[in-house]
Amino acid sequence: MSLSKTLVAATLLSIANLSSPAFSADEYNTSSGLTAAGAPLGMHGVDPVTFVNLGNRIDGAARHTAVHDGVAYYFSSKETMDKFTAKPAAYLPQNGGFCTFGVSVGKKFDGDPQFAAIVDDKLYLFLNEEIFREFQKDEAGTIAKADENWKKIRTTAAKDL
C-alpha cells in the first residue's frame, strides 16, 4: 500500500473513531440496557420535572418517555414530559446525572435521585447518604469544584478516572 493510501486509511479510521459512541464515553449516568425508546434510562426512572418543581422523587412511567441527547427519561404524566421536551436544560441533572461530590473530586459515581439537592434551581444527585451529608458541609464549594472538573472529565469513561 502506498504512503498516501496508508495516510488516507489512517485518517478515515480516526474520523470513524471520533464519531463513534465511545468518543462520548459516559457523558450521562444511565442504567445498563435500553428502554423501549431504544436509549438507556437516566435518573433511575425518576421524573426530573416533578423532582425539580416539587422536590418530590416520583417515578416516571415508560408510556411517558422523552429522549434527550441519547438518554431516555420517564415522566409521571404527559404534562411533565411536555415541560421537559420544551426546556430540557431546566430539568436535567447536573454533571450528566453523576454524583456531584464524585465529580468534584474527579470521579464519576452513580447519582441516585434518592440523595439529591436542588440548588439555584439546578438538580444535583449523589451516590449515597454519607456523600450527600459531605456535600451539605460545603455546597457552594463542591458545586464549583464539580463545575470545573466536569469540563475536564465529561467525555472520559468512568473506568478511566
Side-chain angles (χ1 to χ4, degrees):
M1 186 183 275
S2 72
L3 179 58
S4 63
K5 286 183 181 178
T6 302
L7 289 174
V8 169
T11 301
L12 290 174
L13 183 59
S14 295
I15 291 169
N17 284 338
L18 289 176
S19 64
S20 72
F23 181 71
S24 59
D26 290 342
E27 286 190 42
Y28 296 97
N29 182 32
T30 59
S31 62
S32 59
L34 299 177
T35 63
L41 182 63
M43 279 194 60
H44 297 241
V46 171
D47 180 336
V49 174
T50 302
F51 202 116
V52 170
N53 287 343
L54 303 177
N56 285 340
R57 201 176 37 120
I58 297 175
D59 288 338
R63 71 178 169 272
H64 303 296
T65 302
V67 176
H68 175 76
D69 207 12
V71 178
Y73 295 92
Y74 287 170
F75 300 90
S76 56
S77 69
K78 182 179 180 327
E79 292 76 24
T80 59
M81 182 180 72
D82 290 344
K83 284 182 181 181
F84 178 86
T85 56
K87 194 174 179 185
Y91 304 104
L92 288 170
Q94 301 302 296
N95 310 303
F98 289 99
C99 172
T100 294
F101 191 87
V103 172
S104 79
V105 297
K107 301 292 183 185
K108 288 182 175 177
F109 300 130
D110 182 36
D112 187 340
Q114 183 174 347
F115 308 102
I118 298 170
V119 179
D120 296 329
D121 297 322
K122 294 180 180 179
L123 176 59
Y124 298 92
L125 305 178
F126 302 91
L127 178 64
N128 57 34
E129 184 176 356
E130 181 180 352
I131 296 297
F132 179 66
R133 291 195 192 286
E134 284 299 314
F135 162 76
Q136 290 176 315
K137 292 177 184 177
D138 183 15
E139 291 182 5
T142 302
I143 290 170
K145 287 177 190 172
D147 287 347
E148 185 179 319
N149 281 340
W150 185 241
K151 294 171 192 165
K152 298 173 192 172
I153 69 172
R154 179 178 182 150
T155 58
T156 303
K159 66 180 178 60
D160 294 335
L161 294 173

